[in-house]
């Protein structure tokens, strides 16, 4: 009996270790190509415009405006109007495309909340610059405005800086100078070692250099905008004592406030019990195991747990979070708001992860600009 128990325990331990290894490898995987998992089922022409017919899914029926990125290149912006095409399909009206793009039946595309590909697409006048960050040369966009007040915009895990142009519109309305940054081991930033993400740990030093860049050019106050993991990076930067009087406010969309809870939520999203997510924690936090999955060292997840560290906050925070977010639970943002109502305000949207702006661009813009006018001196 003892032998059988020991053997069973060994098998269970090995299985648990294997599950934790797999989850950690997937979570920290190097940036990969976009997945083109939608097929164009039809293209209709009416009223001087075009409609694209797609399979009916949670994405294609989501409220708001979105973008289709095509496998053969180019993009098509879609309106909020959802037109029924029977039980299995819907049509969305095209409101803008890459010049020369002609979508065709059978084309493969990717659904995205990244609505603008470049600052020019968003009507913004930007300069391409290269920043020297600890990881190496990294591209950024600079949108000039008030040299005393800067917005630094930080995208999330698996995204690109184009996704933050939604926030740059608000910063530009307030006449801030904006710096739209990239960082290590992303699709645009420099590759370091195995190319794996450290969930904001080493990436924070790269974005910290953006703060230095702004200060050397006259910034007296900085507003950090962060989406998902980019929000986790923003919180780490605001927690650094040397930035105490410099970082005036944080605008966080779908913020990662507790990695353990986020990992559990994504397990559920993938059809795996939430508790399995805990098996990844040792592989992230213990140095020998972290190196075994290809990370440069351990990740101090406790420092990213703002559900426990709410008392440490000192910077005003506006959170925008979608009630449909199944990747980063909105309850974490609600808990932080409830713990620090003196510093944290929460705006909720009928939206999925990082899609609050898409669900209601005007309300997102108004919420951000109104709040910043109250919180950041002009």
């Amino acid at each position: 009996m003892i032998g059988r128990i020991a053997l069973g325990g060994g098998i269970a331990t090995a299985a648990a270790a294997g599950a934790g290894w797999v989850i950690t490898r997937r979570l920290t995987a190097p940036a990969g190509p976009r997945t083109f998992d939608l097929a164009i089922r039809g293209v209709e022409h009416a009223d001087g415009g075009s409609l694209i017919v797609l399979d009916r899914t949670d994405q294609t029926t989501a409220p708001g405006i979105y973008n289709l990125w095509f496998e053969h290149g180019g993009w098509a912006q879609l309106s909020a109007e959802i037109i029924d095409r029977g039980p299995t399909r819907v049509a969305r009206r095209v409101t803008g495309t890459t010049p020369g793009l002609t979508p065709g039946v059978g084309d493969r595309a990717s659904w995205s909340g990244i609505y603008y590909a470049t600052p020019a697409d968003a009507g913004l006048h930007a300069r391409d610059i290269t920043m020297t960050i600890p990881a190496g040369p990294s591209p950024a966009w600079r949108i000039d405005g008030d040299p005393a007040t800067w917005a630094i915009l930080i995208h999330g895990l698996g995204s690109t800086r184009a996704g933050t142009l939604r926030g740059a519109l608000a910063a530009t309305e307030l006449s801030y100078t904006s710096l739209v940054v990239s960082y290590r081991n992303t699709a645009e930033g420099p590759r370091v070692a195995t190319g794996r993400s450290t969930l904001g740990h080493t990436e924070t030093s790269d974005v910290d250099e953006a703060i230095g860049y702004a200060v050397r050019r006259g910034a007296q106050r900085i507003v950090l905008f962060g989406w998902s993991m980019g929000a986790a990076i923003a919180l780490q930067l605001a927690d650094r004592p040397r930035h105490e009087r410099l970082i005036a406010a944080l605008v966080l969309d779908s913020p990662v406030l507790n990695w353990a809870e986020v990992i559990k939520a994504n397990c559920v999203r993938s059809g795996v019990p939430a508790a399995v997510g805990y098996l990844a924690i040792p592989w992230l936090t213990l140095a020998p195991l972290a190196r075994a999955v290809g990370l440069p060292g351990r990740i101090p997840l406790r420092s990213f747990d703002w559900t426990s560290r709410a008392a440490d906050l000192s910077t005003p925070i506006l959170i925008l979070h979608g009630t449909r977010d199944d990747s980063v639970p909105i309850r974490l943002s609600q808990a932080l708001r409830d713990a620090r109502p003196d510093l944290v305000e929460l705006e909720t949207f009928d939206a999925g992860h990082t899609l609050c702006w898409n669900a209601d661009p005007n309300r997102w813009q108004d919420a951000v600009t109104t709040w910043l006018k109250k919180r950041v001196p002009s």
Side-chain angles (χ1 to χ4, degrees):
M1 179 65 72
I2 293 175
R4 290 180 182 175
I5 293 173
L7 179 60
I11 292 172
T13 300
W21 184 87
V22 169
I23 293 169
T24 305
R25 292 278 293 181
R26 290 181 179 176
L27 178 65
T28 63
R34 179 180 287 277
T35 300
F36 298 95
D37 54 357
L38 282 176
I40 305 304
R41 301 302 187 187
V43 178
E44 304 173 359
H45 302 283
D47 301 325
S50 298
L51 300 172
I52 290 179
V53 180
L54 301 161
D55 290 331
R56 182 185 293 273
T57 68
D58 289 343
Q59 284 185 327
T60 61
T61 57
I65 59 175
Y66 298 91
N67 209 334
L68 281 180
W69 297 78
F70 287 84
E71 187 173 25
H72 53 66
W75 46 263
Q77 294 168 336
L78 305 178
S79 76
E81 183 182 11
I82 302 169
I83 304 167
D84 186 78
R85 287 293 181 265
T88 62
R89 293 182 182 172
V90 297
R92 306 285 294 236
R93 190 172 300 279
V94 176
T95 57
T97 66
T98 303
L101 176 72
T102 304
V105 175
D107 287 351
R108 306 296 298 184
S110 178
W111 187 267
S112 179
I114 300 178
Y115 195 71
Y116 304 109
T118 68
D121 296 331
L124 300 171
H125 300 286
R127 285 192 281 154
D128 289 297
I129 64 172
T130 299
M131 297 184 57
T132 301
I133 61 176
S138 189
W141 288 310
R142 177 174 163 178
I143 303 165
D144 287 331
D146 177 4
T149 306
W150 287 55
I152 296 177
L153 300 105
I154 315 162
H155 68 77
L157 182 64
S159 188
T160 67
R161 57 192 163 126
T164 71
L165 291 171
R166 295 168 289 183
L169 290 168
T172 298
E173 180 180 328
L174 294 168
S175 299
Y176 298 171
T177 292
S178 291
L179 198 56
V180 183
V181 301
S182 53
Y183 47 83
R184 71 183 67 194
N185 296 336
T186 59
E188 299 170 296
R191 183 182 174 98
V192 176
T194 62
R196 292 191 169 274
S197 170
T198 61
L199 308 185
H201 177 45
T202 56
E203 295 88 346
T204 295
S205 63
D206 295 338
V207 183
D208 201 359
E209 177 52 35
I211 294 177
Y213 176 96
V215 169
R216 291 190 295 272
R217 287 156 181 81
Q220 298 175 20
R221 65 195 70 85
I222 289 174
V223 176
L224 298 179
F225 287 68
W227 283 255
S228 193
M229 189 183 87
I233 293 171
L235 285 159
Q236 294 298 303
L237 291 169
D239 191 47
R240 296 188 171 181
R242 67 178 179 275
H243 297 325
E244 184 177 357
R245 292 182 175 83
L246 179 63
I247 297 177
L250 306 179
V251 176
L252 309 180
D253 193 310
S254 313
V256 172
L257 300 172
N258 181 320
W259 270 116
E261 292 301 313
V262 169
I263 293 168
K264 287 166 56 183
N266 281 274
C267 284
V268 172
R269 185 184 182 199
S270 300
V272 177
V276 175
Y278 282 119
L279 301 176
I281 304 304
W283 294 91
L284 293 166
T285 58
L286 300 177
L289 295 181
R291 286 193 289 269
V293 296
L295 296 172
R298 64 180 295 272
I299 300 174
L301 291 187
R302 290 181 64 85
S303 70
F304 288 87
D305 181 5
W306 294 99
T307 54
S308 297
R309 297 189 58 202
D312 295 338
L313 294 172
S314 59
T315 306
I317 299 171
L318 174 64
I319 297 177
L320 308 112
H321 211 136
T323 56
R324 300 189 187 197
D325 194 335
D326 59 358
S327 183
V328 175
I330 192 173
R331 60 180 170 78
L332 301 177
S333 291
Q334 291 166 336
L336 190 66
R337 185 262 326 265
D338 293 344
R340 292 300 306 271
D342 57 318
L343 281 181
V344 180
E345 293 187 31
L346 173 63
E347 290 280 346
T348 63
F349 292 76
D350 180 19
H353 186 56
T354 69
L355 299 175
C356 296
W357 181 93
N358 300 83
D360 195 335
N362 291 333
R363 188 164 78 83
W364 196 100
Q365 179 100 352
D366 289 344
V368 170
T369 54
T370 299
W371 184 80
L372 285 173
K373 285 175 184 176
K374 292 188 298 182
R375 290 289 190 169
V376 180
S378 56

